């Protein structure tokens, strides 16, 4: 596996930005005070750039995920701007390729380890007095200087990185931070995420708790999940759960408890394997209905009707 080594760039002062603004590839623009006033009409004065499109293609082979990001920023203002492109990397991710061209010249980037990235995050937190950014303190960071950003010009960025996903009892979860595209000065024309999955063990379930995805199965060991929206401001990270199990009935359980003294939550995925056409498998179905006080009234009535219908 080949990894790129990035040249160290000169230090840049960072404009204070909201905590979630650095979850995805994002350009922090350095604006003088008079320019900030000019861009007050934008949803976020520090982000006068618009995102033309954001395209993500992922290839997962068992536990290894290769993510390729292609996005384009547009300076819709009449001013020449200077900025910094930041991309917090998922834990354990290794950057394979980074490309950005400015005036026909390829821009180099600096790859910061988690310790240096934490120092940068803490510096921003001190200025903005909001500790939420520290959720990225354990991540590495890709950083690149962008100058000039000419009026009405476009800046295209391409990144690819590889990571090993954690397997918890046959259940894997892929997460792509998508929420910062809401900081685009205009709705994003097109956002798309495509995930191709290939596993040695049969794939039992492919499920997204965050987005409405379309899943296509080629066979029991290959699947494709896709998500696309137009004219939108994404505000939720993309999550995709993948259950693998060689048994006829695949079942995966993922639990989470914020505090040992509190109740937790769980995610259970259960799915049968592929069966020959026309064959009906015997099965037992158990319905569980919540009848607690919070269900009183219309909710309980609707749940009762649904249960009777089933």
């Amino acid at each position: 596996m080949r990894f790129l080594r990035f040249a160290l760039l000169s230090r840049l002062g960072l404009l204070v930005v909201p905590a979630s603004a650095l979850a995805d590839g994002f350009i922090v623009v350095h604006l003088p005070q008079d320019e900030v006033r000019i861009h007050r009409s934008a949803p976020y004065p520090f982000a006068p750039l618009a995102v033309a499109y954001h395209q993500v293609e992922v290839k997962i082979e068992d536990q290894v995920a290769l993510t390729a990001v292609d996005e384009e920023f547009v300076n819709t203002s009449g001013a020449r701007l200077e900025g910094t492109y930041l991309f917090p990397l998922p834990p354990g991710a290794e950057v394979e390729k980074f490309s950005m061209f400015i005036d026909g010249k390829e821009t180099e980037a600096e790859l910061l380890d988690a310790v240096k990235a934490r120092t940068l995050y803490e510096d921003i937190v001190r200025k903005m007095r909001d500790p939420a950014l520290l959720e990225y303190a354990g991540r590495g960071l890709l950083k690149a200087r962008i100058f000039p950003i000419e009026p009405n010009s476009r800046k295209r960025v391409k990144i690819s990185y590889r990571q090993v996903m954690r397997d918890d009892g046959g259940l894997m979860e892929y997460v792509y931070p998508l929420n910062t595209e809401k900081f685009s000065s205009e709705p994003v024309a097109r956002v798309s995420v495509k995930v191709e999955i290939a596993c040695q063990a049969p794939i039992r379930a492919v499920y997204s708790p965050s987005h409405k995805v379309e899943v296509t199965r080629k066979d029991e060991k290959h699947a494709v999940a896709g998500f696309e929206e137009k004219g939108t401001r994404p505000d939720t990270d993309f999550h995709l759960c993948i259950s693998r199990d060689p048994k006829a009935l695949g079942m995966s359980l993922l639990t989470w408890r914020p505090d040992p003294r509190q109740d937790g939550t769980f995610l259970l995925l259960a799915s049968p394997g592929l069966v020959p056409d026309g064959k009906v498998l015997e099965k037992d179905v158990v319905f569980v209905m919540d009848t607690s006080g919070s269900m009183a009234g219309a909710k309980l009535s609707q749940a009762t009707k649904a249960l009777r219908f089933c």
Side-chain angles (χ1 to χ4, degrees):
M1 186 182 299
R2 182 175 65 89
F3 305 118
L4 300 182
R5 298 186 180 275
F6 297 98
L8 182 66
L9 299 179
S10 60
R11 295 183 61 185
L12 295 173
L14 291 176
L15 191 68
V16 176
V17 299
S20 59
L22 303 179
D24 191 7
F26 186 75
I27 295 179
V28 178
V29 174
H30 312 288
L31 295 173
Q33 288 303 313
D34 57 339
E35 289 292 340
V36 171
R37 286 193 292 270
I38 291 175
H39 295 289
R40 283 295 178 190
S41 59
Y44 301 92
F46 61 84
L49 301 184
V51 178
Y53 67 85
H54 189 100
Q55 179 176 308
V56 183
E57 293 189 359
V58 186
K59 291 186 178 180
I60 296 176
E61 294 185 5
D62 289 315
Q63 289 183 245
V64 180
L66 176 62
T67 302
V69 184
D70 185 350
E71 58 183 332
E72 188 173 66
F73 300 89
V74 184
N75 180 9
T76 57
S77 72
R80 172 188 279 193
L81 303 175
E82 176 182 356
T84 302
Y85 178 78
L86 301 173
F87 191 100
L89 296 166
E94 300 278 1
V95 176
E96 293 204 333
K97 186 176 181 181
F98 170 83
S99 61
M100 178 191 300
F101 289 84
I102 301 176
D103 292 338
K105 297 181 180 180
E106 186 171 4
T107 299
E108 294 184 350
E110 178 185 3
L111 186 60
L112 303 180
D113 59 26
V115 176
K116 292 182 179 179
R118 182 184 182 91
T119 301
L120 185 150
Y121 295 144
E122 289 178 341
D123 181 58
I124 298 176
V125 168
R126 280 193 295 269
K127 295 176 182 178
M128 63 193 292
R129 298 183 181 180
D130 187 340
L133 185 59
L134 291 179
E135 68 177 292
Y136 303 110
R139 298 188 180 189
L141 177 68
L142 190 66
K143 171 185 173 185
R145 177 178 180 267
I146 307 176
F147 181 81
I149 307 175
E150 299 291 351
N152 302 310
S153 67
R154 293 173 177 260
K155 297 299 178 186
R156 185 180 182 187
V157 182
K158 298 181 73 175
I159 297 175
S160 62
Y161 60 88
R162 192 181 300 270
Q163 66 188 110
V164 177
M165 298 187 299
R166 188 169 64 94
D167 187 304
D168 189 346
L171 181 65
M172 301 185 300
E173 182 180 24
Y174 173 83
V175 181
Y176 180 78
L178 194 62
N179 66 343
T180 60
E181 298 308 333
K182 65 186 176 186
F183 292 102
S184 173
S185 64
E186 300 176 1
V188 185
R190 180 172 60 87
V191 177
S192 65
V193 180
K194 179 182 178 182
V195 184
E196 297 183 12
I197 308 166
C199 297
Q200 294 184 12
I203 301 170
R204 295 307 182 199
V206 179
Y207 167 72
S208 174
S210 61
H211 293 76
K212 185 177 181 180
V213 299
E214 181 178 344
V215 179
T216 303
R217 292 177 176 271
K218 299 179 180 179
D219 52 50
E220 66 175 7
K221 296 183 179 181
H222 297 84
V224 178
F227 159 77
E228 182 174 356
E229 280 189 352
K230 297 181 179 179
T232 183
R233 292 184 188 273
D235 59 1
T236 304
D237 290 343
F238 178 82
H239 291 249
L240 188 69
C241 297
I242 304 165
S243 172
R244 304 175 300 164
D245 198 323
K247 299 188 290 291
L249 177 64
M251 184 172 294
S252 300
L253 177 66
L254 184 65
T255 62
W256 182 76
R257 186 192 300 270
D259 188 297
R261 296 166 296 181
Q262 300 177 2
D263 293 336
T265 59
F266 69 89
L267 170 67
L268 174 67
L269 294 179
S271 59
L274 299 179
V275 297
D277 291 341
K279 183 179 179 179
V280 178
L281 296 179
E282 294 184 359
K283 58 187 71 66
D284 291 324
V285 180
V286 178
F287 293 92
V288 179
M289 187 171 70
D290 181 4
T291 61
S292 62
S294 63
M295 291 291 291
K299 289 191 291 185
L300 183 60
S301 175
Q302 291 174 356
T304 303
K305 291 179 181 178
L307 181 61
R308 288 173 176 166
F309 176 80
C310 293

